[in-house]
Amino acid sequence: MSVESLSRRTFCHTLAATAAGAALADAVQAAANEWLLYVGTYTTPETKSEGVYVYRFNAATGEIKPSSVAKSPSPAFLAIDAKRRFLYAANEVSEFNGKKNGGVTAFAISQQTGELTQLNQQPAPGVPAHITVHPSGRFVLIADYGGGNAAIYPVKLDGSLGAMSDVAQHTGKGFDPKRQAEPHAHCVIVDAAGKYAFVPDLSLDKVMIYSIDAQLGKLIAHGSAAVKPGAGPRHFVFHPGGEFAYVINELNSTVTMFEYIAARGTLNEVQSISTLPADFKGASYCADIHIHPTGKFLYGSNRGHNSIVIYAIDAKTKKLTLVGHEPVRGDWPRNFAIDPTGQFLLVANQRSNNIVVFRVNVKTGLLTATEQSVSLGAPVCLKFIPAFS
């Protein structure tokens, strides 16, 4: 064998190894960029949706590919446990399994494909609009819009739900006789320590606060934080630092900022700021609120103005400064989500039946529409977890 042929063979082997290494690197990079996206929907005859849809999302390109669907009646809001083993859905229906009011459904998440398998269901005391998992994974909590209360369920070892262990009923009414004639709990968020639950009630113009008895699964009244009369608090979020929180108000289109005193479980108002342009004169109703993973920007959705409002968060005070508004390329942005890499923001437009992908400028917070979108009947909740394969 000549030196020339040996060199040629060595070169070919080296080239093949390099190509294989590059292919492996590409595969690893692709896997690192891939996420599972779960979408809750309204399953009325008009929407033709069937339940919780599973997509694969590429955080390098913004592309969304359909994967599977788990049938369930109007799983309007979703929550996933910290270990990504179980998904829970608030079934926002007036009749569930032949009984009045809605329910809650537990699903197991396939650790290979991300597909959902139903574990069990429990009735809700009313019609639930929001659901969350306690940081310990031992409880699931719901905000019951129709019944005006918050409820808590124990989680069994297999991820299924036990019978409701407590319900905290709200009472009273608010400023607007049409929208605030009776309590409407709209969201439930638990602090990072798992000690307190925060429940914005749209009608009472308060964020109700409960301490959580983690031994008995009970909600114990712990006070409240008021917003302006007629504001209609809807969704609530903590800043990643944990010392501040924000609630988006549906009826007067504002965001209220609070200082959170974790040692006492209390909220003190710091700021209130409009979500709409100063010259906007039409009807609009806020829906969802999220903070960018960097903690530098806060976003909110305006239904009617059909936009995402963008704020910069001051590094020291955590106060908000308006950056701008981005049209959602659809109608009625009910919910939205920022992918965990912080590169994209996805908007679920309920009435135009589409999910639209925007790229995030991580320096300015501004959004730019991409060419990526999917059609889906009445999408109302988006949740991400890393892809398994």
Side-chain angles (χ1 to χ4, degrees), residues 163-230:
M164 182 175 63
S165 57
D166 197 17
V167 57
Q169 183 63 49
H170 298 180
T171 59
K173 57 183 180 180
F175 179 81
D176 186 335
K178 293 183 178 180
R179 293 295 310 276
Q180 297 180 308
E182 58 187 8
H184 290 305
H186 221 311
C187 169
V188 56
I189 297 294
V190 178
D191 70 341
K195 294 178 63 176
Y196 299 101
F198 299 83
V199 185
D201 191 301
L202 182 141
S203 293
L204 304 185
D205 291 321
K206 294 179 180 178
V207 178
M208 308 302 292
I209 306 171
Y210 298 94
S211 62
I212 301 170
D213 185 329
Q215 298 300 318
L216 301 176
K218 300 293 183 182
L219 298 172
I220 303 166
H222 189 73
S224 63
V227 296
K228 293 180 180 179

Side-chain angles (χ1 to χ4, degrees), residues 282-313:
S284 192
Y285 306 92
C286 290
D288 202 13
I289 185 170
H290 292 286
I291 294 177
H292 192 268
T294 62
K296 294 181 178 181
F297 308 106
L298 182 144
Y299 301 87
S301 59
N302 291 308
R303 298 173 298 174
H305 187 249
N306 286 339
S307 67
I308 298 296
V309 61
I310 307 160
Y311 304 98
I313 301 176

Side-chain angles (χ1 to χ4, degrees), residues 80-356:
I80 299 171
D81 77 305
K83 295 182 179 179
R84 305 189 298 273
R85 298 177 301 168
F86 309 111
L87 180 145
Y88 301 93
N91 298 100
E92 193 176 332
V93 292
S94 58
E95 184 175 316
F96 189 70
N97 291 337
K99 297 182 179 180
K100 186 180 179 181
N101 295 332
V104 185
T105 302
F107 296 92
I109 301 173
S110 167
Q111 301 298 288
Q112 286 75 44
T113 66
E115 292 184 3
L116 301 176
T117 301
Q118 182 174 306
L119 296 173
N120 77 327
Q121 298 175 317
Q122 291 288 355
V127 180
H130 192 274
I131 189 167
T132 194
V133 182
H134 189 271
S136 68
R138 295 176 51 211
F139 301 100
V140 163
L141 298 89
I142 63 168
D144 191 346
Y145 183 89
N149 56 61
I152 185 168
Y153 299 80
V155 174
K156 298 179 181 180
L157 291 178
D158 65 354
S160 63
L161 293 169
M164 182 175 63
S165 57
D166 197 17
V167 57
Q169 183 63 49
H170 298 180
T171 59
K173 57 183 180 180
F175 179 81
D176 186 335
K178 293 183 178 180
R179 293 295 310 276
Q180 297 180 308
E182 58 187 8
H184 290 305
H186 221 311
C187 169
V188 56
I189 297 294
V190 178
D191 70 341
K195 294 178 63 176
Y196 299 101
F198 299 83
V199 185
D201 191 301
L202 182 141
S203 293
L204 304 185
D205 291 321
K206 294 179 180 178
V207 178
M208 308 302 292
I209 306 171
Y210 298 94
S211 62
I212 301 170
D213 185 329
Q215 298 300 318
L216 301 176
K218 300 293 183 182
L219 298 172
I220 303 166
H222 189 73
S224 63
V227 296
K228 293 180 180 179
R234 181 182 172 101
H235 278 197
F236 181 93
V237 65
F238 278 104
H239 188 271
E243 297 179 351
F244 296 90
Y246 307 82
V247 65
I248 195 162
N249 300 301
E250 177 176 339
L251 302 183
N252 75 351
S253 297
T254 62
V255 172
T256 303
M257 173 196 173
F258 297 97
E259 180 186 18
Y260 176 50
I261 311 300
R264 298 198 296 267
T266 58
L267 298 170
N268 300 319
E269 182 176 343
V270 176
Q271 179 191 26
S272 180
I273 186 170
S274 176
T275 68
L276 296 170
D279 59 353
F280 179 74
K281 303 300 182 183
S284 192
Y285 306 92
C286 290
D288 202 13
I289 185 170
H290 292 286
I291 294 177
H292 192 268
T294 62
K296 294 181 178 181
F297 308 106
L298 182 144
Y299 301 87
S301 59
N302 291 308
R303 298 173 298 174
H305 187 249
N306 286 339
S307 67
I308 298 296
V309 61
I310 307 160
Y311 304 98
I313 301 176
D314 186 89
K316 293 183 178 180
T317 67
K318 300 301 184 288
K319 287 186 176 180
L320 304 177
T321 301
L322 179 66
V323 172
H325 298 83
E326 181 65 30
V328 295
R329 276 67 171 177
D331 186 17
W332 218 246
R334 175 64 174 270
N335 186 249
F336 66 96
I338 303 167
D339 87 276
T341 72
Q343 298 178 86
F344 294 95
L345 185 149
L346 283 66
V347 181
N349 292 310
Q350 179 185 338
R351 292 183 177 175
S352 55
N353 304 311
N354 64 338
I355 301 170
V356 181

